[in-house]
Amino acid sequence: MSKEALVKVRGVTQKYATGRKEFIAVRDVNLTVKDGEFVVLLGPSGCGKSTLLRIITGLQKPSEGRVLYRGQPVVGVNPHSTIVFQTFALFPWLTVQQNVEIALKAQEVPHAERTRRALELIDRVGLDGFETAYPRELSGGMRQKVGFARAMAVEPELLCLDEPFSALDVLSAQSLRSDLLELWVSGGIPTKAILMVTHNIEEAVFMSDRIVVMDKDPGRVVADVIVDLPHPRHYKSPKFAKIVDRVYATLAGQTQPEHIEVGTAPGVPGGRTRALPDITIDNLTGVLERLAEMPNDTADIFRLAEELRADSDYLLRLTEAAELLGFATLAQGDITLTPLGETFAEARILTRKEIFATRIRRLPLFQWLLRMLDAADNNQLERDVTLVALQLDFPSYIAKRQLDLIIEWGRYAKILEYDDSSEIIFREAAIPVESKA
Ligand code: ADP
Ligand code: MG
């Protein structure tokens, strides 16, 4: 793999005029994408990811700083790059083939050559047989494939993808990720580098060689995480999980290392099992969403209690849960969302569940239960058996409530399932699972 720098972003700042004030969307960003690299830009909504893609591809000139492409300053739209957006705008009155060919027409590729290249790409993205179909006849995943084919038709050296899978259902998204990776890894496309924007941490770890983590206010780069796993990658492998966890930890905040006391697992001699805060996930989500709307994602805890008409005791439990999960930090009576909390608040339901799952897997109480489930016959546990084990650590009325909370959180995160009638706890089936929400 060659190591030549394809893109160099140096000291890029983007200001936008908003009314009388000037708003800094991204500040002093430095970033290099090398030949052969697949880089992801990850961060909360509004941290300037799309802005950076536009600047890198030359669609927009930064207020300060510069972009070099193969050592040359980018002036105007960079002809060696293409962006694929979340929902690719296909022309509804053109067929699949015509939609791909139109990109080549703009480049004045002769007719026969256009047809040949379009047909080959349609085949390569797996749409063979749909050449004459119209966009309305295709599923969301297939339409996005046409988008990829169109982007690749012009054989860009630098392929930029702005949340390309986020409008798709889970299964289509996963198959399209694998398809794109296959094309990329096999060298089936002339693309030299891919720069992809995403919210989804597992997607980033699944696909990229390097994750550039951003934060906002102002938008900036806060970390660079190398993903040195061979393809194909497996979501459930320990190495994969480790990198996911590292990225989460970065997003969960520089201000909040792992000092949050997570306690020990039940039954550890001399240990102390930390109880889960007694809250509902709906309420937790509600608070995080509200915080995401506040200036600087910060609120005074007691004002927040008033506003949400929650009693302060309950609100404190909510903030405790938010802190335990790395979604917020507390200081001087204020609660502030971490970038992870913000990502959670703004994510769709399935991404939320994924984030939640990664966070609760860190808690000794869940690790303990999952270990027991793994060791149990058929990976099932009776509620009563689990309860008895918990009663060794908690008074019985608390143990009962804790078990309910574990089940509620675990179910939400899809890491375990519970059958109410037989009162049996079991492990959730393998991901990916279609969201029922
Ligand atoms: P992201 O893609 O990470 O969600 P964007 O790059 O779209 O972030 O936006 C970064 C910030 O800049 C946001 O606060 C957004 O509202 C603001 N912004 C983006 N484009 C403009 C614009 N043309 N004018 C004013 N503000 C903008
Ligand atoms: Mg964006």
Side-chain angles (χ1 to χ4, degrees):
M1 200 178 283
S2 153
K3 290 284 175 197
E4 195 197 338
L6 202 60
V7 180
K8 281 189 189 169
V9 175
R10 290 294 172 265
V12 160
T13 293
Q14 180 67 55
K15 299 171 183 166
Y16 292 116
T18 53
R20 219 169 299 160
K21 275 211 310 203
E22 192 166 65
F23 169 76
I24 301 181
V26 293
R27 187 167 74 191
D28 194 22
V29 168
N30 294 294
L31 177 72
T32 302
V33 180
K34 288 182 188 146
D35 200 328
E37 256 191 327
F38 188 144
V39 176
V40 155
L41 289 179
L42 182 90
S45 165
C47 70
K49 304 180 296 291
S50 299
T51 297
L52 271 179
L53 279 194
R54 286 196 302 271
I55 291 172
I56 286 168
T57 52
L59 287 171
Q60 183 174 329
K61 195 176 165 302
S63 317
E64 287 165 31
R66 57 199 188 125
V67 178
L68 301 176
Y69 190 82
R70 292 197 184 282
Q72 299 301 312
V74 171
V75 183
V77 177
N78 178 352
H80 304 293
S81 66
T82 306
I83 303 192
V84 176
F85 297 99
Q86 182 175 340
T87 45
F88 208 89
L90 298 178
F91 298 109
W93 61 88
L94 297 181
T95 63
V96 166
Q97 185 180 336
Q98 289 164 335
N99 263 292
V100 176
E101 280 192 32
I102 199 155
L104 296 167
K105 206 167 171 180
Q107 290 201 330
E108 296 174 11
V109 175
H111 190 269
E113 170 72 4
R114 253 173 15 220
T115 307
R116 191 190 63 75
R117 263 157 72 176
L119 290 178
E120 195 188 312
L121 273 164
I122 290 167
D123 195 16
R124 217 174 300 160
V125 297
L127 285 178
D128 195 17
F130 290 89
E131 293 82 358
T132 58
Y134 287 90
R136 64 168 184 277
E137 301 170 72
L138 306 177
S139 68
M142 291 163 93
R143 277 195 290 249
Q144 197 68 342
K145 283 185 178 180
V146 181
F148 282 125
R150 185 153 96 189
M152 287 183 299
V154 299
E155 309 199 331
E157 283 187 332
L158 175 65
L159 181 60
C160 293
L161 308 168
D162 196 344
E163 311 211 14
F165 309 109
S166 62
L168 303 176
D169 66 88
V170 190
L171 295 177
S172 314
Q174 188 50 32
S175 77
L176 206 45
R177 279 180 201 121
S178 303
D179 292 348
L180 177 66
L181 264 180
E182 161 96 45
L183 281 174
W184 165 247
V185 174
S186 69
I189 42 176
T191 298
K192 297 277 192 268
I194 299 182
L195 183 57
M196 179 173 87
V197 164
T198 181
H199 260 96
N200 184 324
I201 296 165
E202 290 182 318
E203 174 176 301
V205 177
F206 184 70
M207 301 185 77
S208 74
D209 300 317
R210 190 154 61 86
I211 302 170
V212 175
V213 184
M214 297 182 67
D215 195 1
K216 68 178 202 179
D217 300 317
R220 64 198 188 280
V221 174
V222 293
D224 208 308
V225 178
I226 305 278
V227 188
D228 51 354
L229 302 175
H231 291 285
R233 295 175 181 168
H234 303 283
Y235 285 94
K236 294 215 152 169
S237 83
K239 283 184 179 163
F240 189 97
K242 211 171 149 191
I243 297 179
V244 169
D245 221 43
R246 197 185 312 153
V247 178
Y248 272 105
T250 312
L251 280 169
Q254 298 72 23
T255 54
Q256 190 211 23
E258 301 291 287
H259 78 263
I260 299 302
E261 187 55 68
V262 293
T264 53
V268 173
R272 194 184 69 87
T273 307
R274 176 167 174 164
L276 299 178
D278 191 348
I279 52 128
T280 69
I281 290 168
D282 272 353
N283 288 337
L284 176 66
T285 307
V287 167
L288 298 174
E289 283 173 355
R290 186 68 192 100
L291 277 172
E293 295 163 2
M294 303 270 191
N296 302 319
D297 295 337
T298 298
D300 180 277
I301 291 173
F302 293 99
R303 292 246 315 273
L304 193 62
E306 256 174 40
E307 187 194 308
L308 297 172
R309 302 225 172 87
D311 69 66
S312 57
D313 190 47
Y314 187 65
L315 192 75
L316 284 176
R317 290 207 298 275
L318 285 172
T319 59
E320 184 194 339
E323 196 177 35
L324 181 68
L325 296 168
F327 292 157
T329 53
L330 301 176
Q332 288 127 33
D334 283 349
I335 176 167
T336 304
L337 281 187
T338 61
L340 180 64
E342 205 174 314
T343 306
F344 180 88
E346 282 158 3
R348 293 170 186 234
I349 181 86
L350 205 86
T351 307
R352 282 185 177 177
K353 285 173 185 278
E354 285 166 359
I355 295 177
F356 200 82
T358 331
R359 296 316 283 174
I360 64 174
R361 279 207 190 93
R362 295 164 56 253
L363 303 178
L365 207 47
F366 280 96
Q367 290 171 353
W368 167 80
L369 184 64
L370 292 176
R371 269 201 308 274
M372 291 213 301
L373 279 170
D374 283 340
D377 283 347
N378 300 322
N379 300 16
Q380 298 185 348
L381 285 171
E382 284 172 35
R383 181 191 164 88
D384 279 349
V385 173
T386 320
L387 189 58
V388 168
L390 276 175
Q391 280 166 348
L392 299 174
D393 275 63
F394 296 112
S396 99
Y397 73 99
I398 293 183
K400 211 158 162 279
R401 183 63 195 141
Q402 283 296 304
L403 186 54
D404 289 341
L405 286 167
I406 292 171
I407 291 171
E408 188 189 329
W409 290 25
R411 271 179 143 173
Y412 174 80
K414 290 178 173 286
I415 65 175
L416 54 85
E417 230 351 307
Y418 180 67
D419 185 65
D420 293 283
S421 53
S422 60
E423 303 205 315
I424 286 185
I425 305 169
F426 50 101
R427 279 203 93 137
E428 170 67 296
I431 49 166
V433 201
E434 189 70 60
S435 167
K436 293 175 194 99

